[in-house]
Amino acid sequence: MSPSERKAMISRDRTDLSLTKQCNLLQISRSSLYYTPVGVKAETLELMNEIDRVFTKYPFFERRQIAAYLPRNGIHAGRHRVRRLTC
């Protein structure tokens, strides 16, 4: 059974079993009940598309070279951000 199926089995309305006990019985992390995924910003998607375009044009470029090339197209991103988005 997948973790998402087990998470769907949890009932917040039950008074006889706490959420902690339900999570322990189903072997899922209690913190996963409260997690809501965060979407990706449009700026980040634009930067990722630009990195992809540069890497497609110059496949021998490394991360530092991509970060140095991006300002030519009006996009400023540091080498650490480029590294995080290319991994």
Side-chain angles (χ1 to χ4, degrees):
M1 187 179 303
S2 72
S4 60
E5 292 172 338
R6 287 183 284 175
K7 194 186 322 182
M9 294 174 66
I10 291 184
S11 172
R12 295 177 187 264
D13 300 331
R14 291 192 66 162
T15 56
D16 57 335
L17 277 177
S18 67
L19 289 178
T20 305
K21 287 184 181 181
Q22 290 181 51
C23 290
N24 284 339
L25 289 171
L26 294 171
Q27 296 179 346
I28 61 171
S29 171
R30 188 169 53 94
S31 64
S32 68
L33 294 178
Y34 306 107
Y35 175 74
T36 54
V38 178
V40 180
K41 293 181 182 180
E43 304 164 351
T44 305
L45 286 175
E46 181 182 334
L47 177 59
M48 290 171 69
N49 288 334
E50 187 64 23
I51 289 171
D52 187 45
R53 189 187 66 74
V54 170
F55 188 73
T56 303
K57 189 174 181 181
Y58 304 105
F60 50 88
F61 269 15
E62 295 179 354
R63 295 176 183 123
R64 286 182 186 219
Q65 291 169 312
I66 292 173
Y69 186 84
L70 287 175
R72 296 179 190 175
N73 299 329
I75 297 177
H76 299 282
R79 64 183 173 98
H80 294 290
R81 186 157 186 217
V82 171
R83 177 180 174 213
R84 186 174 61 244
L85 294 175
T86 57
C87 290

